[in-house]
Amino acid sequence: MEIGILTSRRGNSENKEVKSGSPKPINGIVFCSKGFSICNIDRESVKKGIACQALGTSFLASDLTGFQMDKNQIHGTAIFTLLSMAVMIFSSATLVQCAVINLWPKPRIVSWPLPLATLLSPKFKITSPNHRYLSTAVYRYLHLILTEHHHPLVIPTVNLTNGSVVQSLIVTIHDLSAPLVHGVNESYHLKIPSTGVEASLTAETAWGAMRGLETFSQLVWGNPSHVASGMEVWDWPIFEHRGVMLDTSRNFYNVEDILRMIGAMSGNKLNVFHWHITDSHSFPLLLPSEPGLADKGSYGPDMQYSPKDVTRIVQFGLEHGVRVLPEIDMPGHTGSWAKAYPEIVACANMFWWPAGYKWEDRLASEPGAGQLNPLNPKTYQVLKNVIRDVTMMFPEPFYHAGGDEVAPGCWKADPEIQEFLSKDGSLSEILEMFLNSTFPYIVSMNRTVVYWEDVLLDQTVRVNRSLLPPESTILQTWNDGPNNTKAIVSSGYRAIVSSADYYYLDCGHGSFIGNNSKYDQGNAGNTGTGDSWCGPFKTWQTIYNYDITYGLTEEEAKLVLGGEVALWSEQADPTVLDSRIWPRASAMAEAMWSGNRDEKGMKRYAEATDRLNEWRGRMVSRGIRAEPIQPLWCARNPGMCDTVNSS
């Protein structure tokens, strides 16, 4: 038996002992390929990066602060498991190497000392407390577990236990009243015994139970159905905000497309659907107080989202543990508003980059010009109706108010604004007027306001930080990778990371601008990006390996709420929705949930490849048309598609 020692992640020179008066340790069991280890892990040591290490195979149990299982329960379970394993191991002449079980995202702690599996009863049932949204999830997962009969790409090599058949999963929730909001506890503890007929799932909240149900469903395979047994999982996320942003203005997506995406998000343990609903190209959201915005600004009556549609999407999100965060972008990206209110929109319907204009004088960053005029009082009459309706339709406590890419040339083209500028006014003052009128109103609706980073970091049009108190403001970064994240959190603001260099899923598909001479064969120099402004294509490996707290201090990193991959829809619509998002968003999902490093602190993308292959296959079987990441031959021949040479 291998006995673990408590060491610092930085090496044995900083060995720690649990001193009297320190937090009560939790026995953490570490199972290695040749056996298992046990070590005491207290929460304070874990915060400092303490690892449990066993003969070169180390396990780092990072940040237990979000995992609030009962300490005595974990301690007792660990000791029982340890004694049981000791009997099994020492009564055997040889040690059995654990089979691979593919879970996505990878849980934080898994103990499966012996490769055992048990038959799942055809009459298997799930028993759980009554909860408006969890009960629906339980019914959904019960149907999935009984009917999926997943056929893995590589069948796990397991020993089938004799006589035992798992009859039920008992779900216990500690706090049934916890709402689905940012920071809600999503931890769970799943136990599937090697003997007996009941598995158990314990969670702090209904939302954590949903995560555990997904994990259980991935542990079931075959026909008749088998389920891994003699297994325990303790799991909780690293980051509390894990999302997908979808733009439904440039191209329209039907409600069913959005629901399918939310369902896939839930399977990947993603919890925020950032809905970029409106932009210059169309205004598809039908608002009760301002119906003309959609009636005139959408692509047509069959390309609108009614209040009933929104209710359905929000409800579906709650049933899947996914928050729906609405974004109404403003004051830029509002050309579509001019169809109903031409008087409040500057440079509406003008050509986006007129001939002979310098790039810095453009009217918009892409075709579709138009920005709200902050000097017109009518602007705020319309805006208050819009904001009030959106907050009533979406219960989410975060409200995304956009704020990106305010083009100086657009405001300069408006006669009223020209007069203001001629009297020594500035574009930044105009933006400050706008935020001074809208930010307090959104906050008065009991909302935390999310803006794109531009409101503070744009080189030309930005506001003074004093206008945006950090306690009510979150900034979403999309430019300049880790540098802008650093700029945001070092100023005391919370950050959501969507760096275009890593997380933009639309990149690498070329430019959608017509009449573009750059594609002339004689004009070289565009082969690297294909004239995609954010090219090249962001591979799943690029997404998986991005560390969103890179270069931050420990205190700064605490201000990073999490990340979102983003699909802007200039060149996307329902026909490619699934393949553009999946499985690349799955890569971010695991990095956000359990990290992208192994027990030794090394990037684990090589090990992740086989699991992602398997998970992609399961998603496809569940109706998500995720793109492949390798030939099937690679999955059937493990290791043969790897490289053994350094690049």
Side-chain angles (χ1 to χ4, degrees):
M1 182 175 70
E2 300 170 353
I3 303 298
I5 59 173
L6 200 60
T7 71
S8 163
R9 192 191 331 202
R10 292 180 291 274
N12 294 338
S13 61
E14 299 185 27
N15 289 356
K16 308 285 183 180
E17 293 182 359
V18 179
K19 299 178 181 179
S20 60
S22 63
K24 183 176 180 180
I26 302 173
N27 269 25
I29 305 179
V30 183
F31 298 102
C32 308
S33 61
K34 296 181 180 179
F36 66 93
S37 308
I38 182 168
C39 65
N40 288 326
I41 306 173
D42 69 86
R43 282 184 168 83
E44 291 305 313
S45 296
V46 165
K47 289 180 187 177
K48 298 173 184 176
I50 303 304
C52 179
Q53 202 168 54
L55 299 183
T57 303
S58 65
F59 170 80
L60 180 63
S62 56
D63 193 10
L64 279 171
T65 56
F67 187 72
Q68 299 177 5
M69 287 300 179
D70 182 80
K71 295 191 287 283
N72 294 324
Q73 178 185 3
I74 296 177
H75 179 83
T77 302
I79 295 300
F80 173 79
T81 306
L82 175 63
L83 294 174
S84 301
M85 288 173 54
V87 172
M88 289 187 289
I89 290 177
F90 288 113
S91 63
S92 173
T94 59
L95 296 177
V96 180
Q97 184 168 346
C98 288
V100 174
I101 194 79
N102 290 299
L103 292 172
W104 198 278
K106 193 170 189 174
R108 303 292 287 276
I109 302 176
V110 177
S111 112
W112 196 37
L114 294 174
L116 300 176
T118 302
L119 284 171
L120 193 76
S121 171
K123 297 181 180 180
F124 173 79
K125 62 182 181 179
I126 302 175
T127 302
S128 73
N130 185 44
H131 183 276
R132 180 179 179 185
Y133 304 114
L134 177 61
S135 297
T136 302
V138 165
Y139 178 82
R140 180 177 70 251
Y141 274 108
L142 180 60
H143 177 75
L144 178 68
I145 289 165
L146 289 174
T147 62
E148 186 174 28
H149 299 302
H150 177 64
H151 184 75
L153 299 177
V154 178
I155 305 296
T157 304
V158 297
N159 296 321
L160 189 63
T161 58
N162 293 324
S164 285
V165 176
V166 175
Q167 302 279 356
S168 62
L169 175 65
I170 308 300
V171 180
T172 303
I173 310 293
H174 293 160
D175 182 5
L176 275 172
S177 63
L180 181 61
V181 295
H182 177 78
V184 70
N185 191 305
E186 297 178 272
S187 65
Y188 67 91
H189 173 213
L190 176 64
K191 182 178 180 180
I192 310 172
S194 55
T195 59
V197 298
E198 286 185 358
S200 64
L201 172 60
T202 305
E204 285 293 316
T205 67
W207 322 109
M210 290 185 190
R211 309 303 175 219
L213 288 169
E214 175 58 39
T215 297
F216 186 89
S217 76
Q218 292 184 30
L219 292 171
V220 179
W221 75 91
N223 191 7
S225 294
H226 296 76
V227 61
S229 61
M231 175 181 284
E232 285 194 71
V233 177
W234 292 271
D235 205 10
W236 67 101
I238 295 175
F239 292 99
E240 296 171 334
H241 188 108
R242 311 176 304 279
V244 174
M245 191 226 75
L246 179 65
D247 158 28
T248 62
S249 170
R250 289 169 175 85
N251 278 313
F252 183 81
Y253 296 81
N254 292 311
V255 172
E256 294 300 328
D257 300 315
I258 294 174
L259 299 184
R260 187 175 69 256
M261 186 189 72
I262 291 175
M265 289 177 62
S266 180
N268 284 272
K269 296 186 173 68
L270 294 168
N271 65 353
V272 180
F273 166 39
H274 171 178
W275 188 359
H276 184 91
I277 310 174
T278 66
D279 212 291
S280 278
H281 307 85
S282 76
F283 195 109
L285 182 62
L286 186 59
L287 298 173
S289 299
E290 294 288 351
L293 287 170
D295 287 343
K296 298 179 179 180
S298 70
Y299 286 135
D302 58 338
M303 295 188 185
Q304 296 177 2
Y305 302 107
S306 68
K308 185 177 179 180
D309 292 332
V310 171
T311 298
R312 184 182 175 196
I313 290 168
V314 170
Q315 174 83 7
F316 191 86
L318 289 166
E319 292 169 354
H320 288 75
V322 176
R323 297 155 46 207
V324 181
L325 167 58
E327 179 187 353
I328 306 297
D329 204 350
M330 57 184 188
H333 293 278
T334 49
S336 59
W337 300 47
K339 302 283 184 165
Y341 294 105
E343 68 273 23
I344 70 171
V345 181
C347 78
N349 302 313
M350 295 178 67
F351 193 70
W352 70 289
W353 187 16
Y357 276 47
K358 296 179 179 179
W359 175 249
E360 54 266 29
D361 295 326
R362 67 195 182 279
L363 304 187
S365 292
E366 68 176 36
Q371 295 175 179
L372 294 177
N373 181 353
L375 301 183
N376 189 335
K378 180 65 178 291
T379 299
Y380 303 107
Q381 296 175 21
V382 176
L383 274 173
K384 286 189 175 181
N385 289 335
V386 170
I387 293 167
R388 185 179 62 251
D389 281 0
V390 171
T391 56
M392 291 179 65
M393 295 166 71
F394 294 87
E396 166 59 36
F398 289 1
Y399 182 103
H400 205 306
D404 62 314
E405 293 188 314
V406 173
C410 179
W411 275 348
K412 289 179 180 179
D414 183 87
E416 187 176 8
I417 295 177
Q418 286 176 6
E419 183 179 356
F420 175 85
L421 296 175
S422 70
K423 297 176 181 178
D424 296 325
S426 70
L427 295 174
S428 290
E429 286 178 319
I430 294 173
L431 182 60
E432 288 181 349
M433 290 179 193
F434 182 82
L435 264 65
N436 265 329
S437 297
T438 55
F439 177 82
Y441 186 70
I442 300 171
V443 173
S444 75
M445 295 291 179
N446 198 28
R447 295 295 188 270
T448 296
V449 189
V450 185
Y451 289 110
W452 292 104
E453 62 183 24
D454 310 46
V455 293
L456 285 187
L457 301 184
D458 188 84
Q459 295 299 308
T460 306
V461 186
R462 61 183 179 274
V463 303
N464 190 289
R465 292 173 183 170
S466 63
L467 298 180
L468 299 175
E471 61 270 19
S472 303
T473 310
I474 297 169
L475 296 179
Q476 186 162 6
T477 177
W478 63 283
N479 279 307
D480 203 18
N483 295 327
N484 278 11
T485 304
K486 178 80 170 180
I488 289 169
V489 297
S490 64
S491 299
Y493 291 96
R494 291 166 288 173
I496 297 169
V497 178
S498 293
S499 301
D501 291 341
Y502 301 91
Y503 282 176
Y504 270 27
L505 303 180
D506 53 299
C507 299
H509 290 276
S511 170
F512 75 99
I513 305 301
N515 191 34
N516 194 340
S517 62
K518 289 183 179 180
Y519 292 104
D520 182 14
Q521 197 171 19
N523 190 348
N526 299 298
T527 56
T529 64
D531 199 34
S532 171
W533 77 268
C534 56
F537 180 86
K538 312 308 175 192
T539 67
W540 77 263
Q541 296 96 328
T542 297
I543 294 168
Y544 190 85
N545 284 323
Y546 185 41
D547 292 325
I548 65 173
T549 59
Y550 176 80
L552 305 183
T553 67
E554 184 177 350
E555 289 304 308
E556 289 171 343
K558 292 177 182 177
L559 292 174
V560 177
L561 304 184
E564 294 176 3
V565 290
L567 181 60
W568 301 100
S569 293
E570 288 91 342
Q571 295 170 293
D573 68 7
T575 63
V576 299
L577 175 63
D578 290 8
S579 59
R580 289 284 167 87
I581 294 180
W582 310 109
R584 290 187 292 159
S586 303
M588 189 208 67
E590 177 159 298
M592 294 294 101
W593 182 272
S594 58
N596 57 15
R597 296 179 183 273
D598 63 17
E599 301 84 3
K600 298 178 182 178
M602 302 295 292
K603 292 288 183 70
R604 66 185 183 195
Y605 53 89
E607 174 270 339
T609 303
D610 291 338
R611 286 188 298 106
L612 186 56
N613 251 333
E614 187 64 59
W615 175 233
R616 180 261 172 184
R618 193 182 279 259
M619 281 198 293
V620 169
S621 71
R622 292 181 178 184
I624 306 301
R625 299 181 69 85
E627 67 180 3
I629 64 170
Q630 283 185 326
L632 179 59
W633 185 89
C634 297
R636 296 284 173 81
N637 295 271
M640 293 295 286
C641 289
D642 295 343
T643 179
V644 294
N645 299 301
S646 299
S647 56

